[in-house]
Amino acid sequence: VTHTFADEFARRMQVMVDGRSVYLPSIGGVRWDTLPLAIQDIERIEVLRGPNAASFGANAFTGIINIITRHPDDVTGRTLNLSGGEHDRREAWFRWAGSSESASHRISLGDRHDGGMTFQDDDESSQILNYRGEFNLGARESLGVQFGTLLGTRGIGDVHDTPVLHYEQDVKSAFFQADYRLDLNSGRHLQGKFFFNRLKTTEDVPIAAIPGFVPPGAYYESDLMAQRWHAELQLNSSHGSNLRSAVGAYLRRDSVQSLLFWNRTDSLDVDSRGVFGHLEWRPAETWLVNAGAFWEDYELVDSKLSPRVTLHWQPSAQHAFRMGVSRAYRNPVLFETSADRRVRVLASDGSLLGVLPPLFLSQGDVAPESIVSREIAYLGQWPDKDLTLDIRLFKEHISNYIDSVCPSANENDCKAGNILNPSYRPRYWDNVGDARQQGY
């Protein structure tokens, strides 16, 4: 999906399900295995390469994945899906969908189990519930409601570990989403969106015994909770046959909690707000101009403006050309801005034995990452030959790139394995530099 700066957590890619961001404000990215979603309920997946913060806000930095689920009316009836295979792989899904004159419903129930890889303790077990309802409130009003939950466990460890340090992670995720639409006069309609995401993982991680310091059976707790509340309002308008617009605003609160990651028992809350606007103008039959901007005020950093403008030329139904330039930002996640990761060593009976030096410790302000992208693209289609050609040339400048930094000249001083050495230094996050890249 992206062509720049991939990492373990995909912190620079935005992922949405029916317009609801599932990006984690705690450590970034998406826990795919915790989404309460059945593949059988997915209608299509849209992929946008490159930055598009003007449309999708901060974190739409290097690419966007938008998952669209099936409308209840498209899957009316009952469906039972059973599958099984090697490595103790088995799945069972049941879906019911039906409708009346004023409402449509879809509900899916699933049980998923996977024994994992041969040499890894990575088994998975999940129980999933997902609901989508579409309600007709009147001649010009409609309401969509979705909610879902997932409960499960994940095995973690390597069968070759010496000593054996296998353990399980408990996973609980849930979401609620409501989409309201009101059709106004003169080609306008008002959209309202509210959603809530919550993910909590709980695990007791065993620690290898160290004579004279860590007794057998010692462990530490690694609990992590991330929540997001989001409310949004948008007005779409048609101004004649050649001009369309969309304007809107949103409010959001992100909340995280973990004694391990932030060295605090209470939650860490961060608020953000933003306004956005888009114009689509067709000056001639074969030309189209698309311009937009997204202004966002994030509590931990300065407010930022993400603009974008593209020019489209379609001389015929078979050929289309596009030129565009855009700027996007990625706000640092809360582990990058406020990290204070300390392991509390607990005895087998749960009593505190001691607190190790921090593995990560934030040193100060971390600025948002910024990217300026320029592109030229061509799309050609020859239906009679079953041929499509899609070419995109891009040139990008990334600044304020965020990475972990060792304050010591000797990288070994920051390794977790040396945490008990007097020379040990905790890592921290910082803006380490710029980068330029181009490609096709």
Side-chain angles (χ1 to χ4, degrees), residues 91-244:
E91 269 189 53
W93 287 95
F94 173 75
R95 179 180 65 206
W96 173 88
S99 61
S100 62
E101 293 183 0
S102 59
S104 300
H105 310 274
R106 187 200 72 214
I107 186 168
S108 299
L109 299 170
D111 183 86
R112 185 172 64 213
H113 183 82
D114 190 342
M117 302 293 287
T118 302
F119 298 108
Q120 294 291 323
D121 185 6
D122 59 349
D123 59 288
E124 172 190 346
S125 178
S126 299
Q127 292 76 47
I128 301 172
L129 165 68
N130 184 282
Y131 168 83
R132 176 175 174 178
E134 301 292 336
F135 302 90
N136 184 4
L137 304 181
R140 298 186 300 171
E141 290 181 278
S142 63
L143 176 66
V145 175
Q146 300 186 49
F147 61 82
T149 184
L150 180 147
L151 303 175
T153 59
R154 307 287 183 265
I156 301 176
D158 190 316
V159 298
H160 297 305
D161 281 344
T162 304
V164 176
L165 298 175
H166 304 171
Y167 58 97
E168 283 195 344
Q169 179 186 80
D170 292 327
V171 176
K172 297 179 181 179
S173 71
F175 80 92
F176 174 84
Q177 177 176 341
D179 294 278
Y180 173 78
R181 174 172 173 141
L182 174 63
D183 291 328
L184 306 172
N185 53 7
S186 304
R188 299 182 302 159
H189 68 267
L190 187 68
Q191 296 177 191
K193 179 187 293 291
F194 171 80
F195 67 79
F196 167 75
N197 297 332
R198 188 178 193 271
L199 171 63
K200 183 176 183 180
T201 58
T202 305
E203 54 196 273
D204 293 338
V205 184
I207 303 176
I210 302 177
F213 183 76
V214 179
Y219 67 98
Y220 69 90
E221 295 177 341
S222 178
D223 300 350
L224 178 60
M225 185 275 293
Q227 295 183 148
R228 169 168 287 183
W229 293 263
H230 180 100
E232 179 181 318
L233 200 62
Q234 178 175 320
L235 176 65
N236 296 338
S237 305
S238 295
H239 312 276
S241 58
N242 298 327
L243 184 64
R244 297 193 303 172

Side-chain angles (χ1 to χ4, degrees), residues 354-410:
V355 182
L356 298 180
L359 293 168
F360 271 87
L361 185 63
S362 294
Q363 299 294 311
D365 295 336
V366 179
E369 294 178 337
S370 172
I371 182 171
V372 176
S373 176
R374 299 169 178 85
E375 67 173 13
I376 300 175
Y378 165 76
L379 177 64
Q381 295 178 313
W382 296 268
D384 56 328
K385 299 179 180 180
D386 294 328
L387 180 63
T388 299
L389 178 62
D390 189 355
I391 301 175
R392 175 177 178 261
L393 290 80
F394 61 88
K395 187 174 184 179
E396 297 174 344
H397 178 207
I398 299 96
S399 57
N400 290 330
Y401 177 71
I402 300 173
D403 201 1
S404 64
V405 176
C406 178
S408 172
N410 185 357

Side-chain angles (χ1 to χ4, degrees), residues 174-321:
F175 80 92
F176 174 84
Q177 177 176 341
D179 294 278
Y180 173 78
R181 174 172 173 141
L182 174 63
D183 291 328
L184 306 172
N185 53 7
S186 304
R188 299 182 302 159
H189 68 267
L190 187 68
Q191 296 177 191
K193 179 187 293 291
F194 171 80
F195 67 79
F196 167 75
N197 297 332
R198 188 178 193 271
L199 171 63
K200 183 176 183 180
T201 58
T202 305
E203 54 196 273
D204 293 338
V205 184
I207 303 176
I210 302 177
F213 183 76
V214 179
Y219 67 98
Y220 69 90
E221 295 177 341
S222 178
D223 300 350
L224 178 60
M225 185 275 293
Q227 295 183 148
R228 169 168 287 183
W229 293 263
H230 180 100
E232 179 181 318
L233 200 62
Q234 178 175 320
L235 176 65
N236 296 338
S237 305
S238 295
H239 312 276
S241 58
N242 298 327
L243 184 64
R244 297 193 303 172
S245 68
V247 294
Y250 85 91
L251 296 173
R252 176 183 295 167
R253 165 163 287 191
D254 292 329
S255 179
V256 299
Q257 187 173 3
S258 174
L259 184 61
L260 172 66
F261 285 87
W262 291 282
N263 192 32
R264 53 192 292 174
T265 57
D266 60 333
S267 63
L268 176 61
D269 302 328
V270 179
D271 295 327
S272 59
R273 54 182 177 168
V275 295
F276 54 89
H278 297 275
L279 273 178
E280 184 184 273
W281 175 46
R282 189 176 294 277
E285 183 177 352
T286 59
W287 292 90
L288 182 68
V289 178
N290 194 302
F294 198 111
W295 175 85
E296 186 169 47
D297 182 23
Y298 186 60
E299 184 177 342
L300 298 180
V301 298
D302 295 333
S303 59
K304 299 293 182 180
L305 180 68
S306 300
R308 181 197 63 189
V309 60
T310 56
L311 175 64
H312 304 259
W313 178 46
Q314 189 172 3
S316 69
Q318 290 179 295
H319 306 282
F321 300 85

Side-chain angles (χ1 to χ4, degrees), residues 324-343:
V325 59
S326 65
R327 175 186 287 275
Y329 293 92
R330 182 186 77 86
N331 290 326
V333 295
L334 294 177
F335 185 58
E336 292 171 324
T337 63
S338 312
D340 188 355
R341 187 176 184 183
R342 301 171 187 258
V343 171

Side-chain angles (χ1 to χ4, degrees), residues 14-29:
Q14 179 65 274
V15 179
M16 299 183 297
V17 180
D18 291 330
R20 170 177 55 89
S21 172
V22 292
Y23 186 91
L24 290 172
S26 51
I27 57 177

